[in-house]
Amino acid sequence: MGMKMDIELIDKNGLRIDGRKPEELRPIKIEAGVLKRADGSAYVEWGKNKILAAVYGPREAHPRHLQKSNKAIVQVRYNMAPFSVGDRKRPGPDRRSVEISKITSEALEHVVMTELFPRSSIDVFIEVLQANAGTRCAGLTAASVALADAGIPMKDLVVGVASGKVDDVVVLDLGKEEDNYGQADVPMGYIPRTGEIVLLQMDGDMTQEELFKAMEMSMDAAKYIYGLQKEALRKRYEMIAREETEEIEGVQ
Amino acid sequence: MGMKMDIELIDKNGLRIDGRKPEELRPIKIEAGVLKRADGSAYVEWGKNKILAAVYGPREAHPRHLQKSNKAIVQVRYNMAPFSVGDRKRPGPDRRSVEISKITSEALEHVVMTELFPRSSIDVFIEVLQANAGTRCAGLTAASVALADAGIPMKDLVVGVASGKVDDVVVLDLGKEEDNYGQADVPMGYIPRTGEIVLLQMDGDMTQEELFKAMEMSMDAAKYIYGLQKEALRKRYEMIAREETEEIEGVQ
Amino acid sequence: MGMKMDIELIDKNGLRIDGRKPEELRPIKIEAGVLKRADGSAYVEWGKNKILAAVYGPREAHPRHLQKSNKAIVQVRYNMAPFSVGDRKRPGPDRRSVEISKITSEALEHVVMTELFPRSSIDVFIEVLQANAGTRCAGLTAASVALADAGIPMKDLVVGVASGKVDDVVVLDLGKEEDNYGQADVPMGYIPRTGEIVLLQMDGDMTQEELFKAMEMSMDAAKYIYGLQKEALRKRYEMIAREETEEIEGVQ
Amino acid sequence: MSGNKVVSEILRDYIYNSLEEGKRIDGRGYDEYRKVSIETNVIQSAEGSARVHIGNTDVLAGIKMTIGSPFPDTPNVGVMTTNAELIPMASPTFESGPPDAESIELSRVVDRGLREGHAVDMEKLCIKEGELVWIMFIDVHILDYDGNLFDAAALAAMAALASATVPASQFADQYPDYDLGEDFPMPINNYPIMSTFVKIKDVILVDPALDEETVADARLSVSTDPEGRVRAMQKGLNGGFSYAEIQDIVRKATEKGNELRDILMKSL
Amino acid sequence: MSGNKVVSEILRDYIYNSLEEGKRIDGRGYDEYRKVSIETNVIQSAEGSARVHIGNTDVLAGIKMTIGSPFPDTPNVGVMTTNAELIPMASPTFESGPPDAESIELSRVVDRGLREGHAVDMEKLCIKEGELVWIMFIDVHILDYDGNLFDAAALAAMAALASATVPASQFADQYPDYDLGEDFPMPINNYPIMSTFVKIKDVILVDPALDEETVADARLSVSTDPEGRVRAMQKGLNGGFSYAEIQDIVRKATEKGNELRDILMKSL
Amino acid sequence: MSGNKVVSEILRDYIYNSLEEGKRIDGRGYDEYRKVSIETNVIQSAEGSARVHIGNTDVLAGIKMTIGSPFPDTPNVGVMTTNAELIPMASPTFESGPPDAESIELSRVVDRGLREGHAVDMEKLCIKEGELVWIMFIDVHILDYDGNLFDAAALAAMAALASATVPASQFADQYPDYDLGEDFPMPINNYPIMSTFVKIKDVILVDPALDEETVADARLSVSTDPEGRVRAMQKGLNGGFSYAEIQDIVRKATEKGNELRDILMKSL
């Protein structure tokens, strides 16, 4: 947040640098079941972000000392491909990735019915193939869909979405320039049905009222994204059903 | 040892750069039981050195392949805080710390009754908060007290103390400038009651006679430090007793 | 391969930069049983290469997850001493060493009767003490002899030998300058008796016919090296027999 | 964390039962911190230092400074690095080795609070734009762990900064071509304070002790400045908060931030 | 690899039985690749990129470029680094952590094929001899693993290179003393293609699927150029080949290389 | 170390019983070294090298040199780095991987003996004060481990140094602005020698073989120079020495140092 620069992020018409209105999301596309090997998977395009999520499990947690006798653990590995950003990122986890993996894991553990799979691990891999601000929220959104695609019992889907402040205006879903030169960013993990907030971070400078307004914007937008998640899963189930019908027909 | 510099370490009156006489220690302060969470702990101020020691155990040694079927192991981790020295020290063990941890561990294993706790580990953590020459000896001295404070059965306390040679004079307990520009340093771990030497290193340049004189100086000083260790433990036991009495009185 | 340089690798008489003919090997010396502690060992001098190989095992494979229930694994560690090359090599495995270790291990696993030692590991250590092109082949040759010296049951010995192309001429056993400035290198692991190729790499630029000619050269040369391997083992057995006889005579 | 499963169930029941009666197990009010004490300039080898106790939690922060190149994209500001070490001295559950996810999160959250709160005027740590700047290391050493490391570490770091001196004169010889000037106090710009709350069942508590952390469902840390503006937040643990709960916590964090800031200012 | 031992024995028998009847389990001919598709320029943050499917094997390669010093012994050529990551997303058998021997072998074999095949005219990536050159990173991300990573990774890397643009204009500000010129297409010199065969019992098969790899005795990868010259080879697994088998594979690799190269050229 | 517990108890009893009869198990006197042999210049790729056998213990040391910057606090002397690798070839108890505490101790003790003994005139390895100095790497490779690595490694390192040539002419091209001169012999200043003793029960033995090390209570290594001055010491193992024992060892170390130094000088 807050690199200084003579850059006008909100124009005289109140529009943002990419032409969006303050409460407008970037275009979002969600697809479920995009990988063959993984137990579940999802692909999310969110503005210029391109993100894959894959789920393996429940499987035996290892190393063993991680096992919990009464429930599964959800292990998330958020990773950026070396070519996903302007300057090549060195392979392997950096401190930022470790933090994002941790909070994403905590958010997902809230909705996965971990008590059904003692001693197990449910492993979620989020690969950022192209990054353009908001990857942690897009990754959380993708991971939820991948978990559902894997048939993991869940209380609900989690939606990731951010809001923030640029040029003293509260806006939804910061783009790259807004992220670099804006005043605040508030990534959130939200469950629209229950109203629970399971991931929340903020950095920047906001009054309480601005913060609350931003959170309300995110919660509204989450309902829309939740719809996209469910639609992606519906399409995936339809396709599986169609394939199965074809197989049966093929047999007959 | 032996960085060259036009610096007079012994003045015309035979006094050292900090005003001490050759056989004079820096001021030493020892306190036992300074941390709540650890099973035992001690704090030592020794000149400008500030050192904490904590003990956990006996507890299960892990990883398991370290376990010994007939006795406990004593694992020491000597660590310098990044801000304890002039140039910030990178966190994590360097080669010097690994060596000091190893020899400190060997010295303490001699006095701990390890045979009472097969398969266990007694873990000693020495944190150098402020370093000013002689930290390994001060750390060993602190660790002994922390072990006793933890109630670990011991044959005796070990005292750490160094001597050396500066400007061709054999001196006790080298200070920072003496360590940098002196001619020899001889850190020692000593058990005054039995006369056993359990840690000994030397680097520099000494005749045999100088070396022996230095060692004798250290052995003399060790008796005094041993007294400080016991006094710290006595105070600690008194305080515990007082607290317990107060508790009983409180109940009544 | 292929650093450019104005250097004549084949002279007008068709001789190579070190005076060898195209199909001529560098001098090779093999000795078995050169280390006391290892279960088997061998020393190979091959031109200016100096290589030691040692074998330990069969012994319990660890960490345990490496164990195979129906056979032994062959673990190879190819390592270059820091002083074995022009610019000091940092200790520890680099990517090249890891690759060479892997393919050497695969080649040896073919001949070791691993099925006799389930859950075990046969550990092969190849130390390059002085390197001068062709160390992987010399190391493989040495490792075979060390395995036999250790009494490990083997279907046959593997021979390592390379060929390649310099100044458009197919040559055997590239030397240092040929390796640096030549056109192609083809290291091979070969079993003369069965005609099996168990290690094969190539880099450079060759027509199919050149490649085949090079491989044929290597296969021919392998028969000679195989003879040296067997001779080294014969000498070693003689020496052991002699020592035993002397011992018996000593007793009598 | 707290080892044995039976013990931790008994502990949970005990805490739950107390809360049902409206009490915390150590007798504090829900919005009450444990005793907070701050001692500055405790380490002479550091450019600034502070030891903070929150109850039995005991944390030592030290500042070290050196001189180096600025980042290419921020040529006119100093460099700040924050590192928190959960050394195994502080708890039987902390292990030696490279920093784990918990240490990294702690370091990053403390860093974010200071950075976004503009604690230090980083432009004053520029020596020559694009060439030379002050490099500042904030190292937090956890000595005794009884819960709420976030607040203790953030407070210790802020106090250490506020008590620090930039050792310009020490580097004069090394950089003869630059005018480093005299030693000067760390250019403090603002005093952001972090305040952490946990949710246990339906109750929101400030400053969780270790036993409370062990059974908590969700955690929220909020860093606020003297004007009550929010500068950083971090939610933790796998429970959820309602929006109303978060609003409540943010408001209380401002209050609690003010209380802690008073204690901080008195310590300087 | 394929986990459970009983399952893998059943699989082996099934593959063996099929081969005895002259069939591969997915119905392909011995010399037949699975469906190969190449999509280039799929990642905008990369200088060049390509996603390659060989059957269900799914691989993404991206090129990143920066500017730096040449190696002292090659002052007039650019620097190329190839890295393949077997990320755990792609297979239950891939693990997080530093690259293991398999990743390292894959990276090095892909690198060798491109380097020895002179895919890129590295001299055109020299900016000023002995001072400044282009540094090129080829990163291959394995997304879905169903066998034959060598060919998929090599093909994706070649396609990503062939579609790449050297971003000279981006660096103009950073290197004002050098004439970097306009952005220009990656100077491609040659199109080496890798083709991999396995031996199962006495049968040689091209493009092994994962199930076939699992039971294969020996593997040979051969990189050939458009003129049918051999540029790199790598034998793997602990079985052996006869000399005749290797001759056979080398000849077929040239054919298969031509087939794949046609697909590549159409994708550009 | 020596694996199986029963075996090690039998070994201990055997050694104890022998010592009660005044004998070492290999028949040596208490103050007697095993056969020591030194061969120098065994590795042509090194600037200096030596292979030392002490009984079956077999150690190879090599010197590599390069040119670089001095440390800021010692601008007029070369840089020396000592590294000992306990490679797994040498013993079933040595493992691959980063150096463990034993390797680090060995490296540091060997280094200290050479450094404090002023083996090399480090000022002669300064090329230009504050700018350029010789950087020297002493690498000790343990090939066969049968006890007393300290003495073998220290002796091999000293012999390798004493036989080394500083390869000035090789670097002329790389540093045209400096006058590196011709190749010259390593400027040896002194010949410190390390001698190691162990205590088993009440007996002090020089040059412990592996079996003796296994049952030893305490170890003391003493590095002395030709004038009998003490330059470095390191006590090891968890037993204790009396002051009288240490005086005894120090005196004997001087004698033994002289014996080994004679062997060294003959090898050069």
Side-chain angles (χ1 to χ4, degrees), chain A residues 99 102 197 201 205 216, chain D residues 105 108 112 229 241 243:
Chain A
E99 186 192 353
K102 180 174 191 286
I197 293 160
Q201 295 184 297
D205 181 359
E216 286 162 19
Chain D
E105 185 187 27
R108 286 176 62 83
R112 213 175 287 148
R229 303 174 75 93
F241 286 108
Y243 176 48

Side-chain angles (χ1 to χ4, degrees), chain B residues 1 4 95-96 99 102 106 109-110 197-198 200-206 208 212 216 219, chain F residues 104-105 107-108 112 116 123 229-235 237-238 240-241 243 246 251 254:
Chain B
M1 281 294 108
K4 282 177 191 168
R95 292 166 69 94
R96 177 179 167 276
E99 186 192 354
K102 179 175 191 286
E106 290 171 338
E109 224 159 22
H110 185 70
I197 293 162
V198 290
L200 184 64
Q201 295 184 297
M202 182 270 183
D203 64 303
D205 181 358
M206 283 178 135
Q208 287 186 16
F212 298 155
E216 285 162 19
M219 290 185 284
Chain F
I104 290 173
E105 186 187 26
S107 300
R108 287 177 60 84
R112 213 176 287 147
E116 302 296 340
E123 295 188 11
R229 303 174 74 93
V230 183
R231 309 306 288 247
M233 297 197 300
Q234 182 87 344
K235 189 251 159 197
L237 307 184
N238 60 23
F241 287 108
Y243 175 47
I246 288 182
R251 289 188 189 109
T254 306

Side-chain angles (χ1 to χ4, degrees), chain A residues 1-4 69-71 94-99 102-103 105-107 109-111 136 165 168 183 186 190 195-213 215-216 219, chain D residues 5 73-74 82-84 99-105 107-109 112 116-118 123 199 219-220 224-225 228-243 246-248 250-252 254:
Chain A
M1 281 292 107
M3 280 165 57
K4 282 177 190 167
S69 61
N70 57 342
K71 60 176 183 174
D94 56 11
R95 292 166 69 94
R96 176 180 166 276
S97 303
V98 170
E99 186 192 353
K102 180 174 191 286
I103 59 175
S105 166
E106 289 170 339
E109 224 159 23
H110 185 69
V111 290
R136 77 190 67 188
K165 186 170 113 179
D168 291 327
Q183 294 160 298
V186 189
Y190 187 62
E196 284 168 299
I197 293 160
V198 290
L199 181 152
L200 185 63
Q201 295 184 297
M202 181 270 181
D203 63 304
D205 181 359
M206 283 177 135
T207 65
Q208 288 186 15
E209 293 321 305
E210 288 168 341
L211 171 64
F212 298 155
K213 186 173 171 195
M215 289 179 68
E216 286 162 19
M219 289 185 284
Chain D
K5 209 180 132 211
D73 53 348
T74 52
T82 307
N83 178 58
D100 60 1
E102 295 203 31
S103 316
I104 289 173
E105 185 187 27
S107 300
R108 286 176 62 83
V109 170
R112 213 175 287 148
E116 302 296 338
H118 296 151
E123 295 187 11
K199 178 176 171 182
R219 185 188 67 224
L220 186 63
T224 55
D225 69 16
R229 303 174 75 93
V230 183
R231 309 305 287 247
M233 298 197 300
Q234 181 87 344
K235 188 251 160 198
L237 307 183
N238 59 22
F241 286 108
S242 71
Y243 176 48
I246 288 183
Q247 287 181 300
D248 179 40
V250 168
R251 290 189 187 108
K252 281 180 183 156
T254 306

Side-chain angles (χ1 to χ4, degrees), chain D residues 145-186:
Chain D
Y145 170 43
D146 191 23
N148 199 9
L149 289 183
F150 283 77
D151 293 359
L155 191 57
M158 185 68 238
L161 283 174
S163 70
T165 297
V166 181
S169 59
Q170 270 177 39
F171 289 85
D173 287 355
Q174 220 177 308
Y175 294 94
D177 303 341
Y178 296 86
D179 179 21
L180 303 180
E182 295 298 302
D183 291 359
F184 59 96
M186 179 69 70

Side-chain angles (χ1 to χ4, degrees), chain C residues 13-27:
Chain C
N13 301 319
L15 294 183
R16 298 155 69 179
I17 197 161
D18 58 359
R20 282 187 286 156
K21 283 174 287 194
E23 68 285 3
E24 191 179 342
L25 286 167
R26 290 173 286 182

